Amino acid sequence: MKRIQILLFLLISLLVSTSFSAQSIIPGKKQNKTRIDSIAKRNTTVEKDLQVIDTVVQYQGKFKPFKKTAHASYYADRFHGRRTASGRVYDKNKLTAAHKSLPFGTKIRVTNLANGKSVIVEVIDRGPFVRGREIDLSRKAFYTIASSSGMGYINVALEILQK
């Protein structure tokens, strides 16, 4: 009886002293040490290099009306990851837009006339090349102001940020 207690004590102390995961005791499963190391490195990098102060962006200047009514369309997903006319890479998950004539880097407030929702986007590309359309919005920008996901274009008002 005394031997069983000693063996049990040693086994428990061994398990407690070493950090183990559930994967290491399951037969046939390997622990993904490289993934854990990369996550640890990524977290320390984020803590060291990035300080999140606030998620609200405030622009200095006033928004000047540009178009009271315009047609805005959805920028196709097939362009995701490709270079735009400005040289930047298009990301469908950022608040960007394409316009035929406004300079690259211009900030535009796009307001949906149907529901009053608005979003501020940056011009990084040329387009749209469809007659009657004024601006192409990225996926995130479009669905931020669209009232339903089945829409392909919406009527909007455009305002340009004047510095």
Side-chain angles (χ1 to χ4, degrees):
M1 185 70 173
K2 186 112 174 156
R3 284 184 176 172
I4 294 174
Q5 287 177 342
I6 293 172
L7 285 173
L8 200 56
F9 175 75
L10 289 174
L11 181 63
I12 290 173
S13 63
L14 178 67
L15 290 176
V16 170
S17 66
T18 60
S19 62
F20 71 100
S21 68
Q23 290 179 346
S24 63
I25 61 172
I26 298 172
K29 294 262 185 175
K30 290 184 179 179
Q31 189 175 8
N32 195 350
K33 187 173 178 5
T34 57
R35 183 172 179 269
I36 292 170
D37 290 343
S38 69
I39 290 171
K41 286 178 186 175
R42 187 174 0 152
N43 287 341
T44 57
T45 304
V46 169
E47 290 172 1
K48 194 185 302 180
D49 298 337
L50 179 67
Q51 290 182 345
V52 177
I53 298 168
D54 198 357
T55 57
V56 177
V57 177
Q58 186 175 2
Y59 294 101
Q60 298 293 325
K62 290 186 171 185
F63 284 97
K64 178 183 169 190
F66 180 68
K67 284 245 179 175
K68 290 185 180 180
T69 58
H71 287 279
S73 57
Y74 175 91
Y75 205 152
D77 286 340
R78 67 178 181 199
F79 297 113
H80 180 72
R82 294 187 185 180
R83 291 228 178 260
T84 61
S86 67
R88 291 177 51 185
V89 175
Y90 170 66
D91 186 356
K92 66 181 179 181
N93 300 313
K94 293 196 177 177
L95 299 174
T96 58
H99 193 272
K100 294 176 189 171
S101 60
L102 290 174
F104 296 131
T106 303
K107 305 277 194 251
I108 304 171
R109 180 170 30 195
V110 182
T111 306
N112 187 346
L113 297 175
N115 60 15
K117 291 182 180 180
S118 65
V119 66
I120 299 172
V121 296
E122 181 181 359
V123 176
I124 63 165
D125 202 4
R126 293 292 173 225
F129 300 108
V130 176
R131 183 178 284 184
R133 304 267 170 91
E134 184 70 27
I135 191 168
D136 263 339
L137 300 174
S138 66
R139 177 186 175 100
K140 182 175 182 179
F142 187 84
Y143 286 121
T144 300
I145 63 173
S147 49
S148 71
S149 61
M151 304 173 80
Y153 67 91
I154 52 178
N155 293 324
V156 296
L158 302 177
E159 300 169 283
I160 299 177
L161 179 66
Q162 299 290 315
K163 294 184 180 182

